[in-house]
Amino acid sequence: MKNLLFSLMLLACSNVCSSSNTFIYCGKDNGSDWYWYTDENNEYIQLEGSWMNFESSVNTQALYTTFLITESNWRNINVTCINGYLAQPGDHSNSAWSVFTVIKEDGHYNTMNGYKTLFEKGTFRALTLTRV
């Protein structure tokens, strides 16, 4: 059922979401620190995907943002954050805390762990930070 719901969301997203790029940062799992992820040449890494909002399982009146990427893109970047930090998507240093959702080749998906900002439905006002 969860996979069917996600497939329907992706179908809806295909009509409203547009492909974009985002950078990767490594954030501490409690949200207290982060740093931009760079490759061996000290270059920022960009990923192609789509931003999407998901309803929070913690608060049904709240949304959080996720960056959808393919499993092959996720494997190709091979992000290795330092211990206690998780790879997360972000466009600039003031970005909300968001997480990656990896769409697997078999159609299933996996929303990655990370710290995230919850937004109030309707207003998109930031509510709280929640560790997932």
Side-chain angles (χ1 to χ4, degrees), residues 17-60:
C17 298
S18 60
S19 181
S20 62
N21 290 325
T22 194
F23 296 101
I24 303 167
Y25 65 91
C26 294
K28 224 171 187 184
D29 65 356
N30 66 5
S32 64
D33 189 36
W34 65 276
Y35 64 91
W36 289 112
Y37 183 78
T38 56
D39 64 15
E40 61 278 351
N41 298 319
N42 210 28
E43 298 288 329
Y44 294 102
I45 304 295
Q46 286 193 54
L47 285 177
E48 184 178 336
S50 298
W51 287 103
M52 188 171 176
N53 297 327
F54 274 106
E55 186 174 282
S56 169
S57 60
V58 176
N59 177 348
T60 59

Side-chain angles (χ1 to χ4, degrees), residues 4 10 24 29 40 45 47-48 51 66-67 72-73 78 84 88 97 102 107 112:
L4 174 63
L10 285 179
I24 303 167
D29 65 356
E40 61 278 351
I45 304 295
L47 285 177
E48 184 178 336
W51 287 103
T66 185
F67 194 74
S72 61
N73 274 355
N78 194 22
Q88 299 192 227
W97 289 79
V102 178
M112 308 307 283

